[in-house]
Amino acid sequence: MMPTATHISLRTRYTQIRQQSEQLCAPLATEDYVVQPITDVSPPKWHLGHTTWFFENFLLVPYLKNYEVFNSKYPFFFNSYYESQGPRVHRSHRGNMTRPSVEDIYQFRTHVDRHLLDLIEQIENSSEAWADEARFTLEIGLQHEQQHQELLVTDIKYILGNNPLFPAYDPSDVDQGHSARPAGWIEVDAGMYQIGHESEGFCWDNELSAHQVYLQDYAIQDRLVTNGEYLEFMLAGGYDNYEYWLAEGWDWVKSLESKSPLYWYAVDGQGWHHYTMQGFRPVDLNLPVTHISYFEADAFARWKGLRLPTEQEWEVACRLTEPQIKGNFLEQQSWHPQGVGETEATQFLGDAWEWTASAYLPYPNYPRFKGALGEYNGKFMINQMVLRGGSVATPQSHMRITYRNFFQTDKRWQFTGIRLAR
Protein backbone atom coordinates (compact mmCIF):
# COMPACT_ATOMS: atom_id res chain seq x y z
CA MET A 1 0.00 0.00 0.00
CA MET A 2 1.36 3.41 -0.96
CA PRO A 3 1.96 5.69 2.07
CA THR A 4 0.14 8.99 2.15
CA ALA A 5 1.81 12.26 1.25
CA THR A 6 2.25 13.11 4.93
CA HIS A 7 4.45 10.07 5.56
CA ILE A 8 6.95 10.19 2.69
CA SER A 9 9.03 12.78 0.93
CA LEU A 10 7.78 14.50 -2.19
CA ARG A 11 10.65 12.96 -4.16
CA THR A 12 9.79 9.43 -3.02
CA ARG A 13 6.09 9.92 -3.63
CA TYR A 14 6.72 11.20 -7.16
CA THR A 15 8.93 8.21 -7.93
CA GLN A 16 6.46 5.69 -6.52
CA ILE A 17 3.48 7.08 -8.40
CA ARG A 18 5.39 7.23 -11.68
CA GLN A 19 6.62 3.66 -11.23
CA GLN A 20 3.14 2.42 -10.41
CA SER A 21 1.87 3.59 -13.81
CA GLU A 22 4.58 1.60 -15.54
CA GLN A 23 3.97 -1.44 -13.34
CA LEU A 24 0.32 -1.43 -14.44
CA CYS A 25 1.51 -1.75 -18.03
CA ALA A 26 4.08 -4.48 -17.31
CA PRO A 27 1.76 -7.41 -18.28
CA LEU A 28 1.05 -5.88 -21.72
CA ALA A 29 2.44 -6.95 -25.07
CA THR A 30 3.73 -4.09 -27.21
CA GLU A 31 0.66 -4.35 -29.45
CA ASP A 32 -1.64 -3.82 -26.44
CA TYR A 33 -0.20 -0.34 -25.89
CA VAL A 34 -1.52 1.01 -29.20
CA VAL A 35 -5.15 -0.17 -29.49
CA GLN A 36 -8.16 2.18 -29.17
CA PRO A 37 -11.38 0.14 -29.62
CA ILE A 38 -13.72 3.09 -28.85
CA THR A 39 -13.32 6.83 -28.35
CA ASP A 40 -13.66 6.55 -24.55
CA VAL A 41 -10.68 4.19 -24.36
CA SER A 42 -7.25 5.72 -24.94
CA PRO A 43 -4.22 3.55 -25.83
CA PRO A 44 -2.04 2.77 -22.79
CA LYS A 45 0.94 4.43 -24.47
CA TRP A 46 -1.08 7.64 -24.75
CA HIS A 47 -1.79 7.63 -21.00
CA LEU A 48 1.93 7.16 -20.26
CA GLY A 49 2.84 9.99 -22.60
CA HIS A 50 0.03 12.36 -21.59
CA THR A 51 0.83 12.23 -17.87
CA THR A 52 4.49 12.86 -18.73
CA TRP A 53 3.58 15.80 -20.97
CA PHE A 54 1.59 17.24 -18.05
CA PHE A 55 4.70 17.36 -15.85
CA GLU A 56 6.86 18.69 -18.66
CA ASN A 57 4.39 21.32 -19.85
CA PHE A 58 3.11 22.66 -16.53
CA LEU A 59 6.27 22.26 -14.40
CA LEU A 60 9.53 21.82 -16.27
CA VAL A 61 8.91 24.39 -19.00
CA PRO A 62 7.86 27.25 -16.68
CA TYR A 63 9.99 26.47 -13.62
CA LEU A 64 13.22 24.63 -14.55
CA LYS A 65 15.82 27.01 -15.92
CA ASN A 66 17.27 26.12 -19.35
CA TYR A 67 15.02 23.09 -19.71
CA GLU A 68 14.61 21.84 -23.31
CA VAL A 69 11.51 19.86 -24.22
CA PHE A 70 12.07 16.24 -25.16
CA ASN A 71 10.26 16.57 -28.49
CA SER A 72 8.55 19.74 -29.69
CA LYS A 73 5.92 17.68 -31.57
CA TYR A 74 4.72 15.77 -28.52
CA PRO A 75 2.39 18.47 -27.11
CA PHE A 76 0.14 18.12 -30.18
CA PHE A 77 -0.18 14.39 -29.53
CA PHE A 78 -0.38 14.36 -25.74
CA ASN A 79 -2.49 17.43 -24.95
CA SER A 80 -5.89 16.07 -23.89
CA TYR A 81 -8.45 18.89 -23.75
CA TYR A 82 -6.55 22.04 -22.71
CA GLU A 83 -7.67 24.73 -25.16
CA SER A 84 -5.17 27.14 -23.60
CA GLN A 85 -2.29 24.81 -24.52
CA GLY A 86 -2.91 24.81 -28.26
CA PRO A 87 -4.15 22.34 -30.91
CA ARG A 88 -4.15 18.58 -30.35
CA VAL A 89 -4.93 15.25 -31.95
CA HIS A 90 -8.65 14.49 -31.86
CA ARG A 91 -9.46 12.11 -29.01
CA SER A 92 -10.85 9.43 -31.32
CA HIS A 93 -7.60 9.40 -33.35
CA ARG A 94 -5.20 8.56 -30.52
CA GLY A 95 -5.11 4.92 -31.58
CA ASN A 96 -4.23 5.77 -35.18
CA MET A 97 -0.72 6.91 -34.30
CA THR A 98 1.94 4.21 -34.56
CA ARG A 99 4.55 6.81 -33.65
CA PRO A 100 5.86 7.79 -31.19
CA SER A 101 6.71 4.20 -30.41
CA VAL A 102 6.27 2.61 -26.99
CA GLU A 103 10.06 2.71 -26.60
CA ASP A 104 10.09 6.42 -27.42
CA ILE A 105 7.46 7.10 -24.77
CA TYR A 106 9.40 5.28 -22.07
CA GLN A 107 12.46 7.35 -23.05
CA PHE A 108 10.28 10.45 -22.74
CA ARG A 109 9.23 9.39 -19.24
CA THR A 110 12.85 8.77 -18.22
CA HIS A 111 13.91 12.18 -19.53
CA VAL A 112 11.13 14.05 -17.73
CA ASP A 113 11.55 12.10 -14.49
CA ARG A 114 15.26 12.91 -14.33
CA HIS A 115 14.63 16.63 -14.71
CA LEU A 116 11.55 16.64 -12.50
CA LEU A 117 13.53 15.18 -9.61
CA ASP A 118 16.00 18.05 -10.05
CA LEU A 119 13.11 20.51 -9.92
CA ILE A 120 11.70 18.87 -6.78
CA GLU A 121 15.04 19.39 -5.06
CA GLN A 122 14.92 23.09 -6.00
CA ILE A 123 11.32 23.38 -4.80
CA GLU A 124 12.14 21.85 -1.42
CA ASN A 125 15.13 24.15 -0.94
CA SER A 126 13.34 27.38 -1.86
CA SER A 127 11.04 29.61 0.16
CA GLU A 128 10.15 31.86 -2.78
CA ALA A 129 6.66 32.26 -4.17
CA TRP A 130 7.44 30.33 -7.35
CA ALA A 131 8.25 27.24 -5.28
CA ASP A 132 4.82 27.31 -3.64
CA GLU A 133 3.19 27.61 -7.04
CA ALA A 134 5.28 24.76 -8.41
CA ARG A 135 4.54 22.57 -5.38
CA PHE A 136 0.80 23.07 -5.89
CA THR A 137 1.07 22.22 -9.58
CA LEU A 138 3.19 19.19 -8.77
CA GLU A 139 0.52 17.91 -6.38
CA ILE A 140 -2.07 18.28 -9.12
CA GLY A 141 0.24 16.41 -11.48
CA LEU A 142 0.57 13.51 -9.05
CA GLN A 143 -3.17 13.33 -8.46
CA HIS A 144 -3.68 13.58 -12.22
CA GLU A 145 -1.37 10.61 -12.83
CA GLN A 146 -3.28 8.57 -10.27
CA GLN A 147 -6.50 9.35 -12.13
CA HIS A 148 -4.86 8.01 -15.27
CA GLN A 149 -3.79 4.88 -13.41
CA GLU A 150 -7.47 4.11 -12.96
CA LEU A 151 -8.07 4.85 -16.62
CA LEU A 152 -5.16 2.60 -17.54
CA VAL A 153 -6.74 -0.33 -15.70
CA THR A 154 -10.20 0.18 -17.18
CA ASP A 155 -8.92 0.92 -20.67
CA ILE A 156 -6.65 -2.13 -20.61
CA LYS A 157 -9.65 -4.21 -19.51
CA TYR A 158 -11.68 -2.91 -22.44
CA ILE A 159 -8.84 -3.56 -24.88
CA LEU A 160 -8.28 -7.13 -23.70
CA GLY A 161 -11.98 -7.78 -23.05
CA ASN A 162 -12.86 -6.96 -26.65
CA ASN A 163 -10.21 -9.30 -28.01
CA PRO A 164 -11.95 -12.55 -29.08
CA LEU A 165 -9.22 -14.53 -27.32
CA PHE A 166 -10.17 -12.88 -23.98
CA PRO A 167 -6.55 -12.78 -22.77
CA ALA A 168 -6.07 -12.49 -19.01
CA TYR A 169 -4.32 -9.41 -17.66
CA ASP A 170 -3.60 -11.28 -14.42
CA PRO A 171 -3.86 -15.06 -14.90
CA SER A 172 -3.90 -15.83 -11.17
CA ASP A 173 -6.72 -17.97 -9.79
CA VAL A 174 -9.95 -16.30 -8.68
CA ASP A 175 -11.70 -17.34 -5.48
CA GLN A 176 -15.09 -18.88 -6.16
CA GLY A 177 -18.08 -19.60 -3.92
CA HIS A 178 -18.58 -16.16 -2.39
CA SER A 179 -21.63 -15.43 -0.29
CA ALA A 180 -23.64 -12.24 0.12
CA ARG A 181 -25.66 -11.38 3.19
CA PRO A 182 -29.19 -10.02 2.65
CA ALA A 183 -29.16 -6.28 2.04
CA GLY A 184 -30.02 -4.18 5.08
CA TRP A 185 -30.79 -0.51 5.51
CA ILE A 186 -28.89 2.37 7.08
CA GLU A 187 -31.44 4.83 8.46
CA VAL A 188 -30.47 8.52 8.49
CA ASP A 189 -32.49 11.13 10.35
CA ALA A 190 -33.58 14.38 8.76
CA GLY A 191 -31.42 17.39 9.52
CA MET A 192 -28.63 19.73 8.43
CA TYR A 193 -25.40 18.08 7.28
CA GLN A 194 -22.01 19.32 6.12
CA ILE A 195 -21.06 18.41 2.53
CA GLY A 196 -17.75 18.91 0.76
CA HIS A 197 -14.05 18.98 1.57
CA GLU A 198 -12.92 20.95 4.62
CA SER A 199 -9.63 19.40 5.80
CA GLU A 200 -6.09 20.56 4.99
CA GLY A 201 -5.29 17.73 2.57
CA PHE A 202 -5.52 17.95 -1.21
CA CYS A 203 -8.85 17.99 -2.99
CA TRP A 204 -10.07 18.92 -6.44
CA ASP A 205 -11.77 22.26 -6.89
CA ASN A 206 -15.12 20.54 -7.51
CA GLU A 207 -15.13 19.31 -3.88
CA LEU A 208 -15.21 22.92 -2.63
CA SER A 209 -16.70 24.83 -0.97
CA ALA A 210 -17.94 22.94 2.07
CA HIS A 211 -21.57 23.82 2.74
CA GLN A 212 -24.67 22.83 4.69
CA VAL A 213 -27.56 20.87 3.19
CA TYR A 214 -30.87 19.81 4.66
CA LEU A 215 -31.83 16.17 4.09
CA GLN A 216 -35.18 14.53 4.74
CA ASP A 217 -35.34 11.18 6.53
CA TYR A 218 -33.95 8.52 4.22
CA ALA A 219 -32.48 5.03 4.18
CA ILE A 220 -29.65 3.66 2.07
CA GLN A 221 -28.67 0.03 1.57
CA ASP A 222 -25.68 -1.31 3.46
CA ARG A 223 -24.03 -3.00 0.48
CA LEU A 224 -23.83 -2.87 -3.29
CA VAL A 225 -26.35 -4.59 -5.57
CA THR A 226 -25.12 -8.05 -6.60
CA ASN A 227 -24.93 -9.81 -9.95
CA GLY A 228 -27.67 -12.18 -8.79
CA GLU A 229 -30.03 -9.34 -7.93
CA TYR A 230 -29.35 -7.69 -11.26
CA LEU A 231 -29.90 -10.99 -13.09
CA GLU A 232 -33.38 -11.13 -11.55
CA PHE A 233 -34.09 -7.78 -13.23
CA MET A 234 -32.86 -9.17 -16.55
CA LEU A 235 -34.92 -12.38 -16.26
CA ALA A 236 -38.01 -10.34 -15.35
CA GLY A 237 -37.77 -8.54 -18.69
CA GLY A 238 -36.28 -5.37 -17.26
CA TYR A 239 -34.57 -4.50 -20.53
CA ASP A 240 -37.82 -4.96 -22.47
CA ASN A 241 -40.19 -2.81 -20.41
CA TYR A 242 -40.10 0.90 -21.22
CA GLU A 243 -41.82 1.78 -17.94
CA TYR A 244 -38.55 1.44 -16.01
CA TRP A 245 -36.44 3.58 -18.31
CA LEU A 246 -35.83 7.25 -18.84
CA ALA A 247 -36.65 8.32 -22.40
CA GLU A 248 -33.00 8.60 -23.41
CA GLY A 249 -32.29 5.35 -21.61
CA TRP A 250 -34.99 3.54 -23.54
CA ASP A 251 -33.51 4.75 -26.84
CA TRP A 252 -30.10 3.58 -25.59
CA VAL A 253 -31.42 0.14 -24.60
CA LYS A 254 -32.88 -0.45 -28.04
CA SER A 255 -29.42 0.09 -29.54
CA LEU A 256 -27.74 -2.61 -27.40
CA GLU A 257 -26.55 -5.82 -28.99
CA SER A 258 -26.73 -7.64 -25.65
CA LYS A 259 -29.22 -6.62 -22.98
CA SER A 260 -26.89 -7.18 -20.07
CA PRO A 261 -24.05 -5.44 -18.24
CA LEU A 262 -20.89 -4.75 -20.23
CA TYR A 263 -18.64 -7.84 -20.61
CA TRP A 264 -21.52 -10.29 -19.94
CA TYR A 265 -22.07 -13.14 -22.44
CA ALA A 266 -24.70 -15.90 -22.44
CA VAL A 267 -22.84 -19.17 -23.06
CA ASP A 268 -25.02 -21.97 -24.42
CA GLY A 269 -25.73 -24.51 -21.72
CA GLN A 270 -23.35 -22.83 -19.26
CA GLY A 271 -25.18 -19.69 -18.17
CA TRP A 272 -23.80 -16.18 -17.97
CA HIS A 273 -20.05 -15.58 -18.19
CA HIS A 274 -18.15 -12.31 -18.20
CA TYR A 275 -14.70 -11.01 -18.96
CA THR A 276 -12.62 -10.12 -15.93
CA MET A 277 -8.98 -9.08 -15.63
CA GLN A 278 -8.32 -12.74 -14.76
CA GLY A 279 -9.94 -13.87 -18.00
CA PHE A 280 -13.32 -15.25 -19.06
CA ARG A 281 -15.19 -16.52 -15.98
CA PRO A 282 -18.69 -17.58 -14.89
CA VAL A 283 -20.60 -14.69 -13.35
CA ASP A 284 -20.48 -15.01 -9.55
CA LEU A 285 -24.01 -14.10 -8.46
CA ASN A 286 -22.88 -12.98 -5.00
CA LEU A 287 -20.39 -10.35 -6.16
CA PRO A 288 -21.35 -6.71 -6.88
CA VAL A 289 -22.68 -6.03 -10.35
CA THR A 290 -20.42 -3.64 -12.24
CA HIS A 291 -19.93 -1.97 -15.62
CA ILE A 292 -23.45 -0.57 -15.40
CA SER A 293 -24.61 2.66 -17.04
CA TYR A 294 -26.62 5.30 -15.19
CA PHE A 295 -29.58 4.33 -17.35
CA GLU A 296 -29.33 0.71 -16.14
CA ALA A 297 -28.81 1.68 -12.50
CA ASP A 298 -31.84 3.98 -12.57
CA ALA A 299 -34.03 1.41 -14.35
CA PHE A 300 -33.05 -1.30 -11.87
CA ALA A 301 -33.92 0.97 -8.95
CA ARG A 302 -37.32 1.76 -10.48
CA TRP A 303 -37.97 -1.96 -11.04
CA LYS A 304 -37.26 -2.54 -7.33
CA GLY A 305 -39.63 0.27 -6.37
CA LEU A 306 -36.67 2.21 -4.96
CA ARG A 307 -34.27 4.90 -6.20
CA LEU A 308 -30.63 5.90 -6.40
CA PRO A 309 -29.27 8.06 -3.56
CA THR A 310 -28.31 11.67 -4.14
CA GLU A 311 -24.62 12.41 -3.76
CA GLN A 312 -25.39 14.32 -0.53
CA GLU A 313 -27.20 11.31 0.92
CA TRP A 314 -24.32 9.06 -0.13
CA GLU A 315 -21.69 11.31 1.49
CA VAL A 316 -23.54 11.63 4.78
CA ALA A 317 -24.15 7.87 5.02
CA CYS A 318 -20.50 7.14 4.19
CA ARG A 319 -19.27 9.55 6.88
CA LEU A 320 -21.52 7.83 9.42
CA THR A 321 -20.48 4.26 8.54
CA GLU A 322 -17.02 4.29 6.87
CA PRO A 323 -15.10 7.40 7.93
CA GLN A 324 -11.71 5.80 7.15
CA ILE A 325 -10.44 5.36 3.59
CA LYS A 326 -10.14 1.60 3.32
CA GLY A 327 -11.56 -1.01 1.01
CA ASN A 328 -10.94 -2.92 -2.20
CA PHE A 329 -8.77 -0.44 -4.14
CA LEU A 330 -6.03 -0.60 -6.77
CA GLU A 331 -3.35 -1.43 -4.22
CA GLN A 332 -5.11 -4.71 -3.35
CA GLN A 333 -4.68 -5.84 -6.99
CA SER A 334 -7.87 -7.89 -6.91
CA TRP A 335 -8.97 -6.27 -10.19
CA HIS A 336 -12.61 -7.09 -9.45
CA PRO A 337 -15.27 -6.12 -6.88
CA GLN A 338 -15.46 -8.46 -3.89
CA GLY A 339 -18.45 -9.77 -1.95
CA VAL A 340 -19.38 -8.80 1.59
CA GLY A 341 -20.04 -12.36 2.75
CA GLU A 342 -21.31 -12.26 6.31
CA THR A 343 -19.11 -9.30 7.25
CA GLU A 344 -20.29 -5.86 8.26
CA ALA A 345 -18.56 -4.20 5.31
CA THR A 346 -20.76 -1.59 3.66
CA GLN A 347 -18.68 -1.15 0.47
CA PHE A 348 -19.06 2.63 0.39
CA LEU A 349 -15.37 2.86 -0.50
CA GLY A 350 -13.66 0.76 -3.15
CA ASP A 351 -15.09 -2.10 -5.24
CA ALA A 352 -17.24 -0.03 -7.63
CA TRP A 353 -18.07 3.60 -8.31
CA GLU A 354 -21.69 4.18 -7.33
CA TRP A 355 -24.07 6.11 -9.54
CA THR A 356 -26.00 8.82 -7.71
CA ALA A 357 -29.14 10.67 -8.73
CA SER A 358 -27.24 13.98 -8.70
CA ALA A 359 -26.25 15.96 -11.77
CA TYR A 360 -22.63 17.11 -11.85
CA LEU A 361 -22.88 20.78 -10.93
CA PRO A 362 -20.72 23.25 -8.93
CA TYR A 363 -21.12 23.60 -5.20
CA PRO A 364 -22.03 27.04 -3.77
CA ASN A 365 -19.06 29.44 -4.05
CA TYR A 366 -17.19 26.97 -6.28
CA PRO A 367 -13.53 28.17 -6.46
CA ARG A 368 -12.38 27.11 -9.91
CA PHE A 369 -8.60 26.62 -10.32
CA LYS A 370 -6.78 29.56 -11.86
CA GLY A 371 -5.18 29.61 -15.31
CA ALA A 372 -4.92 26.55 -17.56
CA LEU A 373 -5.73 24.21 -14.67
CA GLY A 374 -9.12 25.87 -14.45
CA GLU A 375 -10.03 23.68 -17.43
CA TYR A 376 -9.66 20.57 -15.28
CA ASN A 377 -13.17 20.21 -13.86
CA GLY A 378 -15.38 23.25 -14.23
CA LYS A 379 -15.98 23.12 -17.95
CA PHE A 380 -17.38 19.59 -17.70
CA MET A 381 -20.23 20.52 -15.35
CA ILE A 382 -22.98 19.77 -17.85
CA ASN A 383 -24.85 16.63 -18.98
CA GLN A 384 -23.09 14.29 -16.55
CA MET A 385 -24.02 12.45 -13.35
CA VAL A 386 -21.98 12.13 -10.15
CA LEU A 387 -20.47 8.85 -8.96
CA ARG A 388 -19.03 8.28 -5.50
CA GLY A 389 -16.78 5.90 -3.59
CA GLY A 390 -13.95 4.76 -5.85
CA SER A 391 -13.38 1.32 -7.33
CA VAL A 392 -10.93 -1.57 -7.60
CA ALA A 393 -9.00 0.57 -10.09
CA THR A 394 -8.77 3.69 -7.88
CA PRO A 395 -5.51 4.20 -5.94
CA GLN A 396 -6.42 4.22 -2.24
CA SER A 397 -4.04 7.10 -1.51
CA HIS A 398 -5.92 9.13 -4.15
CA MET A 399 -9.38 8.66 -2.60
CA ARG A 400 -11.48 10.85 -0.28
CA ILE A 401 -15.05 10.60 0.96
CA THR A 402 -15.75 13.93 -0.76
CA TYR A 403 -14.34 12.79 -4.13
CA ARG A 404 -16.77 13.56 -6.99
CA ASN A 405 -16.39 11.45 -10.12
CA PHE A 406 -18.60 12.15 -13.11
CA PHE A 407 -19.59 10.53 -16.39
CA GLN A 408 -22.26 10.71 -19.05
CA THR A 409 -25.31 8.53 -18.48
CA ASP A 410 -24.43 5.86 -21.06
CA LYS A 411 -20.83 5.20 -19.91
CA ARG A 412 -20.03 1.84 -18.33
CA TRP A 413 -16.46 0.86 -19.18
CA GLN A 414 -15.47 2.04 -15.71
CA PHE A 415 -16.12 -0.16 -12.66
CA THR A 416 -19.56 1.34 -12.00
CA GLY A 417 -22.20 -0.21 -9.73
CA ILE A 418 -25.45 0.37 -7.86
CA ARG A 419 -26.53 1.19 -4.30
CA LEU A 420 -30.23 1.67 -3.59
CA ALA A 421 -32.01 4.22 -1.43
CA ARG A 422 -35.53 5.00 -0.31
Side-chain angles (χ1 to χ4, degrees):
M1 183 182 301
M2 186 181 296
T4 63
T6 57
H7 295 145
I8 59 176
S9 70
L10 191 57
R11 182 185 184 90
T12 300
R13 184 159 163 261
Y14 173 84
T15 300
Q16 289 182 339
I17 289 175
R18 295 285 284 171
Q19 288 176 346
Q20 182 161 277
S21 297
E22 298 182 12
Q23 289 166 357
L24 290 173
C25 294
L28 302 181
T30 302
E31 292 80 1
D32 298 325
Y33 281 88
V34 185
V35 181
Q36 184 179 27
I38 57 173
T39 299
D40 290 326
V41 171
S42 294
K45 75 170 187 178
W46 185 87
H47 287 293
L48 295 177
H50 166 70
T51 52
T52 305
W53 166 83
F54 188 99
F55 285 113
E56 180 180 66
N57 187 70
F58 291 112
L59 278 159
L60 294 180
V61 171
Y63 294 114
L64 188 63
K65 187 176 182 180
N66 298 323
Y67 176 76
E68 295 184 6
V69 298
F70 181 78
N71 187 316
S72 61
K73 297 179 180 179
Y74 279 14
F76 179 71
F77 188 42
F78 292 123
N79 180 7
S80 53
Y81 50 71
Y82 296 92
E83 298 289 347
S84 62
Q85 303 305 300
R88 59 201 178 278
V89 169
H90 194 277
R91 182 180 180 183
S92 62
H93 295 166
R94 293 170 184 170
N96 297 340
M97 309 298 172
T98 59
R99 306 294 177 90
S101 67
V102 174
E103 181 181 0
D104 291 337
I105 290 173
Y106 275 106
Q107 290 177 357
F108 179 34
R109 288 179 70 87
T110 299
H111 172 86
V112 168
D113 287 347
R114 183 173 68 252
H115 288 87
L116 214 293
L117 290 174
D118 290 340
L119 180 60
I120 288 175
E121 184 176 356
Q122 295 180 27
I123 291 172
E124 292 182 327
N125 292 326
S126 175
S127 58
E128 298 179 20
W130 74 267
D132 291 336
E133 296 172 357
R135 186 187 296 271
F136 175 72
T137 305
L138 177 59
E139 181 61 41
I140 292 176
L142 293 172
Q143 299 285 340
H144 168 257
E145 178 126 358
Q146 289 186 298
Q147 285 185 319
H148 278 270
Q149 288 170 358
E150 176 154 13
L151 290 169
L152 269 170
V153 173
T154 51
D155 289 3
I156 289 170
K157 181 173 183 179
Y158 196 94
I159 290 167
L160 299 181
N162 281 271
N163 184 309
L165 300 179
F166 295 120
Y169 171 82
D170 178 1
S172 60
D173 291 335
V174 180
D175 293 335
Q176 300 294 322
H178 298 92
S179 62
R181 66 169 188 270
W185 292 94
I186 300 168
E187 305 280 349
V188 181
D189 294 333
M192 297 294 295
Y193 294 93
Q194 186 87 345
I195 299 297
H197 187 83
E198 53 186 340
S199 68
E200 295 183 357
F202 176 84
C203 73
W204 295 114
D205 55 0
N206 64 6
E207 299 170 56
L208 300 171
S209 294
H211 59 285
Q212 294 279 317
V213 298
Y214 178 79
L215 299 178
Q216 299 281 0
D217 289 327
Y218 71 97
I220 189 168
Q221 281 196 341
D222 63 355
R223 63 164 172 80
L224 297 173
V225 170
T226 65
N227 289 318
E229 290 166 331
Y230 195 82
L231 182 58
E232 293 175 5
F233 167 70
M234 294 164 56
L235 295 176
Y239 279 91
D240 300 313
N241 190 333
Y242 69 89
E243 293 181 351
Y244 305 131
W245 297 85
L246 297 167
E248 286 187 21
W250 185 239
D251 291 339
W252 176 82
V253 163
K254 290 186 286 186
S255 71
L256 292 179
E257 293 183 11
S258 176
K259 295 180 179 180
S260 63
L262 184 64
Y263 300 120
W264 280 39
Y265 301 87
V267 180
D268 290 343
Q270 300 181 53
W272 285 99
H273 284 58
H274 61 165
Y275 178 76
T276 72
M277 297 291 269
Q278 287 84 12
F280 199 60
R281 307 282 183 176
V283 171
D284 189 325
L285 300 183
N286 291 313
L287 296 186
V289 67
T290 190
H291 299 296
I292 291 292
S293 71
Y294 175 83
F295 293 138
E296 291 167 300
D298 180 72
F300 175 84
R302 292 171 190 267
W303 174 73
K304 293 287 287 186
L306 300 166
R307 63 177 176 83
L308 300 178
T310 66
E311 67 166 317
Q312 293 83 6
E313 290 172 337
W314 184 97
E315 184 172 322
V316 169
C318 182
R319 288 180 187 274
L320 292 173
T321 58
E322 287 195 32
Q324 302 299 317
I325 306 300
K326 58 182 180 180
N328 184 19
F329 289 103
L330 176 68
E331 288 83 351
Q332 281 65 49
Q333 296 185 6
S334 68
W335 314 119
H336 198 76
Q338 301 299 297
V340 294
E342 300 304 320
T343 71
E344 296 180 356
T346 56
Q347 298 181 300
F348 276 102
L349 299 170
D351 283 311
W353 285 103
E354 303 174 28
W355 286 106
T356 74
S358 297
Y360 180 51
L361 295 170
Y363 285 163
N365 302 312
Y366 164 59
R368 183 169 173 167
F369 285 157
K370 304 298 183 183
L373 296 178
E375 298 187 58
Y376 207 98
N377 285 310
K379 70 181 186 179
F380 298 112
M381 291 178 172
I382 185 69
N383 298 332
Q384 308 202 64
M385 302 300 286
V386 174
L387 302 100
R388 292 298 197 103
S391 79
V392 295
T394 309
Q396 182 171 340
S397 61
H398 177 65
M399 194 60 203
R400 294 170 299 283
I401 291 176
T402 57
Y403 200 116
R404 305 174 76 201
N405 200 357
F406 52 93
F407 282 109
Q408 292 91 355
T409 45
D410 63 329
K411 305 305 181 189
R412 55 182 188 164
W413 93 106
Q414 293 295 310
F415 288 93
T416 48
I418 310 171
R419 185 184 300 271
L420 298 175
R422 67 185 184 195

